[in-house]
Amino acid sequence: MLAFMAALSLRAAPTLGVLGWIALIAVAAVPALLMPDHRVIGPLARLAEVITTCLAAAAITHIADRPGAGVGTAAIVLSYLWVPVVAATLMRRRYEVPVLLGAAAVVLVAARLIDPELARTGFTGSSIHWLGLTAVAAAVSTALQHSLLSQRDSPQPYAEATRLLTQLRSVARQLPGATLDPGGLAEHLLDEVRAVAPASRAAVLSASGGGRLVVLAQMGADRVDWETGLDADSAIADAWASQQPQTANRSQARSAVPPGTEVSALVVPLIAGVRTVGLIVLEIDAPAAYPPAMISQAAQVAAPAALRLEAALLFDEVRSIATSEERQRLAREIHDGVAQELVMVGYGIDNALAALPDVDATTEELRVLRSEVTRVITELRLSLFELRSEVDRYGGLATAIADYARTVGQSAGLRVHLSLDESTARLPAATEAELLRIAQEAITNARKHAGAENLWVTCTIDPPFAEIEVSDDGHGMVDQPKEGRYGLAIMAERAERIRGRLEIRPRVPNGTTVAVVLGSAPRRGSV
């Protein structure tokens, strides 16, 4: 626009003075072009453009100095006025636009008062004309920008999400086993990598937040306490940070290695784009077991698997969020609907008891009905608490189970005995959620069906190992109701989903013990 205006101005008044004013406008436009959204430089540069353009219009009109010529000359120069004003509009500086228009009006009026000769050139009419057109251009730009932003922020993200989820469902059905389970994919990846790089023990680690890693799958030894800290001095931390395969001549596990054992460790990062999704850790009890050629083969096997694992982790996270939101929705509906109505029924029974004459039979029936309503309300409140219970990111699984056991024990009159042993390492979020639901179901069964007085809850969590045990001193598994058998089936399904073992056994001298075990127990003497 500046070049176009300069060519027309030089044609109307071909002098060095015109070139000087055009150069001044260009100098003012440079910072406005290079840093348009700067908080200070952008607005000041646009203000300088406006002032310089108005002064140039007056000066070039005076230079032309021909009757009638000034009308066209002023219009040519002032046509550039809308450039800084519309630029301010596009920068969404709504307070800057009226300031620029006001500054332009002040400069044009001052120029007209200082140089009365401009009156005979039609300068005033051109000034009013282009000030009005610039204001209209700013208004139109604002309206168009608002319309485009409104269309962009409308339900298009939901449509995009629907499209992506539909594609994800179609892809998931074509995968081996028709699943996007991170654990299953991690185990399959270990099989592929161990085919080219032998290992006595191996694992796939992924991020869990808080600067730590979690074990998605492992093979080889019964139990390995892998180093999961990203701030530790280990090949695992180096591979995560550098995104390059790392080798070491010492074990990457926290558990003790027999003295004198020579170890070779290989850590291969899983890179999806520019993100580190996880790590493959391989170890073998032999020196220099991973030459460069073998490392290159392992990296080639891991490269295409990174995207698959990231998709599985993202899908698992979306599924967890959807499950949590659905549980919260159900809790809100029950609380605002059935629970409130039952409370009102209870109040109605109380009022009826107070208004009844001394009729023993009717009064007794109402008292029984009132106690039953109270029981149902208590059950509903406990169900709401169970729906809303989640594993806190910072509190941990043991804390969530303990809170639930205390709440249930307090409402049911059970004496609760807690034994909690939880390390700083964390299990995968999906695994923690399933273990919490299993513990909740076991505690609920003990409260509803056991007729117990005491409840023992034991949590031992030392990833990748975890054991949750719930015991009661009730009447045991005799005459278990259908609801209780259904709850046991649900617990068995949840345990199978996370590759755990569900154990149900009698407690001596009386009662029942329900335990879920994940992984193998730590060996004595390990750190």
Side-chain angles (χ1 to χ4, degrees), residues 173-456:
R173 289 174 176 172
Q174 300 172 7
L175 295 176
T179 181
L180 279 174
D181 176 44
L185 289 176
E187 289 180 356
H188 182 67
L189 175 58
L190 285 180
D191 291 336
E192 291 181 332
V193 175
R194 292 176 74 190
V196 299
S200 303
R201 49 196 173 270
V204 175
L205 311 179
S206 70
S208 65
R212 305 197 68 84
L213 302 174
V214 296
V215 179
L216 289 179
Q218 63 176 345
M219 294 181 177
D222 290 339
R223 184 179 188 280
V224 177
D225 296 320
W226 297 103
E227 176 59 61
T228 58
L230 293 179
D231 55 354
D233 183 16
S234 64
I236 288 177
D238 293 341
W240 186 275
S242 65
Q243 296 187 339
Q244 296 295 326
Q246 301 290 326
T247 58
N249 56 5
R250 60 186 178 89
S251 176
Q252 298 302 298
R254 294 193 297 264
S255 54
V257 177
T261 303
E262 293 183 318
V263 176
S264 295
L266 171 62
V267 184
V268 180
L270 297 168
I271 310 299
V274 296
R275 299 176 302 280
T276 304
V277 177
L279 300 173
I280 304 173
V281 186
L282 306 172
E283 284 190 1
I284 191 170
D285 297 331
Y290 299 112
M294 187 179 294
I295 296 173
S296 176
Q297 287 181 332
Q300 290 177 1
V301 172
L307 190 58
R308 297 198 299 266
L309 184 61
E310 184 184 36
L313 291 171
L314 289 174
F315 183 76
D316 194 55
E317 183 179 358
V318 170
R319 182 172 55 190
S320 299
I321 293 173
T323 302
S324 176
E325 290 181 350
E326 183 64 13
R327 294 176 71 90
Q328 297 296 326
R329 186 189 66 81
L330 288 173
R332 287 193 299 269
E333 288 187 358
I334 295 174
H335 179 272
D336 296 338
V338 180
Q340 299 296 334
E341 292 175 3
L342 280 174
V343 170
M344 295 304 298
V345 170
Y347 289 156
I349 295 174
D350 291 338
N351 294 335
L353 281 170
L356 269 179
D358 189 11
V359 181
D360 295 339
T362 306
T363 303
E364 183 60 28
E365 288 182 5
L366 285 174
R367 286 199 178 102
V368 172
L369 181 59
R370 182 63 175 99
S371 63
E372 183 65 15
V373 170
T374 302
R375 185 190 66 80
V376 174
I377 292 174
T378 302
E379 292 286 342
L380 271 176
R381 286 173 176 167
L382 289 175
S383 298
L384 291 174
F385 180 73
E386 180 179 346
L387 283 171
R388 289 172 173 165
S389 297
E390 298 290 344
V391 180
D392 184 68
R393 180 178 179 181
Y394 303 101
L397 176 60
T399 302
I401 294 175
D403 290 344
Y404 184 76
R406 290 192 191 98
T407 302
V408 170
Q410 183 179 7
S411 64
L414 291 172
R415 184 181 291 108
V416 179
H417 310 267
L418 296 173
S419 176
L420 309 178
D421 182 9
E422 186 174 20
S423 72
T424 56
R426 296 290 294 270
L427 293 163
T431 303
E432 288 186 336
E434 295 291 354
L435 288 174
L436 174 62
R437 302 308 172 202
I438 293 173
Q440 287 178 338
E441 186 64 36
I443 294 170
T444 300
N445 282 345
R447 176 182 64 84
K448 286 184 176 181
H449 311 303
E453 295 181 358
N454 292 274
L455 185 69
W456 291 269

Side-chain angles (χ1 to χ4, degrees), residues 441 444-445 448-450 475-491 504:
E441 186 64 36
T444 300
N445 282 345
K448 286 184 176 181
H449 311 303
H475 50 64
M477 300 295 294
V478 181
D479 297 330
Q480 181 75 12
K482 292 184 178 180
E483 183 183 351
R485 291 197 296 269
Y486 181 66
L488 296 179
I490 292 176
M491 287 191 288
I504 302 174

Side-chain angles (χ1 to χ4, degrees), residues 67-117:
V71 177
T73 305
I76 290 170
V77 180
L78 289 176
S79 63
Y80 185 78
L81 192 61
W82 67 268
V83 174
V85 175
V86 172
T89 303
L90 298 179
M91 293 295 107
R92 306 184 77 173
R93 305 291 180 86
R94 55 182 180 178
Y95 298 113
E96 185 181 337
V97 173
V99 172
L100 295 179
L101 291 174
V106 169
V107 173
L108 292 173
V109 170
R112 170 64 178 79
L113 294 176
I114 293 173
D115 188 359
E117 294 295 325

Side-chain angles (χ1 to χ4, degrees), residues 29-46 91 93:
V30 169
L33 177 66
L34 298 179
M35 292 179 285
D37 54 352
H38 193 278
R39 293 182 58 186
V40 177
I41 296 177
L44 289 179
R46 286 187 286 271
M91 293 295 107
R93 305 291 180 86

